[in-house]
């Protein structure tokens, strides 16, 4: 492993490597988006090359699709797959009940659709993503461009009645222009600091005209794999109430690091 790889990247790799071992030949797998999910896609690609693993992947963004094809994973659309055995994705935050904030990478809509079309969702993360209460990470919501300022005003008005500490709502930018999702929509980032009732907020947000989807993933994630910089991994299953601990050896996957 290159010496310049940070402890956080090592932790992301450890989680991704452990989760990739859950995938079996013949599976249809949802492939998440983001830096941790990219490690997972590379790990699966290595298994395809080394072991002849035969899977079909449903990516949650164009950049994940490009990476999957690059590492030799067969890519199919969700409509072709119909239903998935497993989705593996990262998260910006997760709490003790494995409720999540996702969408920092701008792919929350496809990520939520793919995750809910799966028998099981596994989240891969480093320890910094675990929080006592969701909300320190800005909550993304995807909105259609038409009338987005009106949508923002409605969101701000709604937040007055919610159990949150902050109410700042900002339009995500990409340079000088508004950020565009794969569907051509905008993203509003809600700086809430602390969300007292994530379930209620998720339901109310999606009732606002112009909101396509929000980045709160409630009762969707089944398992979280937490990686550490020294190779330790923790696997928590919320449905089984179990905790499994193990270790990933970095030296076994040096081909992966040559590509980074």
């Amino acid at each position: 492993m290159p010496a310049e790889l940070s402890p956080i990247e090592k932790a992301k790799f450890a989680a991704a490597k452990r989760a990739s071992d859950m995938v079996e030949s013949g599976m249809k797998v949802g492939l998440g988006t983001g830096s941790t999910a990219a490690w997972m896609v590379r790990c699966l690609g290595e298994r395809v090359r080394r072991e002849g693993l035969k899977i079909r992947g449903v990516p949650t963004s164009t950049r994940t699709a490009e990476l999957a094809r690059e590492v030799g994973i067969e890519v199919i659309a969700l409509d072709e797959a119909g239903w998935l055995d497993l989705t593996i994705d990262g998260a910006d935050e997760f709490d003790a009940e494995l409720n999540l904030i996702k969408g920092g990478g701008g792919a929350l809509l496809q990520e939520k659709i793919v995750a809910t079309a799966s028998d099981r969702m596994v989240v891969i993360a480093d320890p910094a993503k675990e929080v006592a209460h969701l909300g320190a990470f800005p909550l993304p919501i995807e909105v259609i461009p038409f009338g987005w300022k009106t949508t923002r005003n409605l969101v701000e008005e709604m937040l007055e009645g919610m159990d949150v500490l902050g109410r700042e709502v900002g339009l995500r930018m990409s340079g000088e222009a508004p950020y565009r999702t794969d569907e051509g929509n905008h993203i509003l980032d809600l700086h809430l600091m602390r969300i007292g009732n994530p379930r209620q907020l998720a339901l109310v947000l999606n009732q606002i005209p112009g909101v396509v989807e929000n980045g709160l993933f409630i009762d969707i994630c089944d398992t979280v794999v937490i990686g550490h910089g020294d190779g330790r991994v923790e696997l928590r299953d919320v449905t089984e109430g179990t905790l499994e601990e193990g270790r990933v050896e970095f030296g076994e996957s040096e081909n992966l690091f040559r590509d980074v």
Side-chain angles (χ1 to χ4, degrees):
M1 177 177 293
E4 63 270 18
L5 205 61
S6 71
I8 288 295
E9 288 303 312
K10 291 178 182 178
K12 291 177 179 181
F13 167 76
K17 178 66 169 62
R18 176 63 183 84
S20 70
D21 290 340
M22 300 177 185
V23 177
E24 301 174 0
S25 276
M27 280 188 170
K28 292 176 288 186
V29 183
L31 306 175
T33 294
S35 58
T36 311
W39 278 119
M40 175 270 300
V41 173
R42 293 187 185 101
C43 287
L44 287 176
E46 185 179 42
R47 290 191 62 196
V48 169
R49 292 191 299 272
R50 287 189 174 184
E51 305 170 20
L53 181 73
K54 297 187 183 301
I55 61 171
R56 290 183 289 171
V58 175
T60 54
S61 66
T62 54
R63 59 187 180 276
T64 295
E66 291 169 358
L67 177 59
R69 293 188 181 100
E70 180 183 320
V71 300
I73 297 172
E74 180 185 352
V75 171
I76 60 172
L78 181 58
D79 286 342
E80 181 182 351
W83 193 260
L84 307 180
D85 299 287
L86 175 68
T87 286
I88 305 176
D89 204 347
D92 298 303
E93 286 185 346
F94 69 91
D95 65 14
E97 297 178 352
L98 303 194
N99 294 317
L100 320 170
I101 285 182
K102 288 181 54 55
L108 66 98
L109 177 57
Q110 290 190 24
E111 288 174 333
K112 188 173 281 191
I113 292 171
V114 169
T116 54
S118 306
D119 285 336
R120 184 182 182 193
M121 182 191 188
V122 174
V123 159
I124 47 179
D126 61 82
K129 301 299 192 299
E130 183 173 10
V131 295
H133 302 282
L134 298 178
F137 190 91
L139 173 65
I141 59 174
E142 187 160 337
V143 302
I144 66 170
F146 175 80
W148 72 265
K149 291 183 179 179
T150 298
T151 302
R152 181 187 60 188
N153 292 341
L154 291 170
V155 170
E156 290 173 338
E157 181 179 341
M158 177 274 296
L159 289 175
E160 294 293 330
M162 291 289 107
D163 182 10
V164 296
L165 291 183
R167 295 179 175 84
E168 178 186 346
V169 179
L171 176 68
R172 187 178 297 186
M173 302 295 290
S174 178
E176 298 296 318
Y179 177 87
R180 292 275 184 165
T181 68
D182 281 353
E183 289 74 34
N185 295 321
H186 294 333
I187 286 183
L188 298 178
D189 288 309
L190 281 53
H191 299 264
L192 307 178
M193 299 168 61
R194 181 183 183 275
I195 302 171
N197 191 333
R199 188 182 308 275
Q200 178 190 39
L201 182 59
L203 291 172
V204 173
L205 277 169
N206 282 11
Q207 300 303 310
I208 296 176
V211 173
V212 181
E213 190 51 82
N214 69 83
L216 285 165
F217 284 51
I218 310 297
D219 299 332
I220 296 175
C221 176
D222 304 286
T223 304
V224 62
V225 181
I226 305 168
H228 297 264
D230 61 359
R232 289 180 298 116
V233 291
E234 303 171 47
L235 192 153
R236 301 180 195 169
D237 191 306
V238 71
T239 56
E240 300 293 335
T242 57
L243 171 63
E244 174 189 322
E245 297 182 346
R247 180 174 291 277
V248 167
E249 298 299 331
F250 296 121
E252 295 177 355
S253 302
E254 293 193 0
N255 286 338
L256 287 170
F257 306 115
R258 295 195 188 101
D259 298 331
V260 176

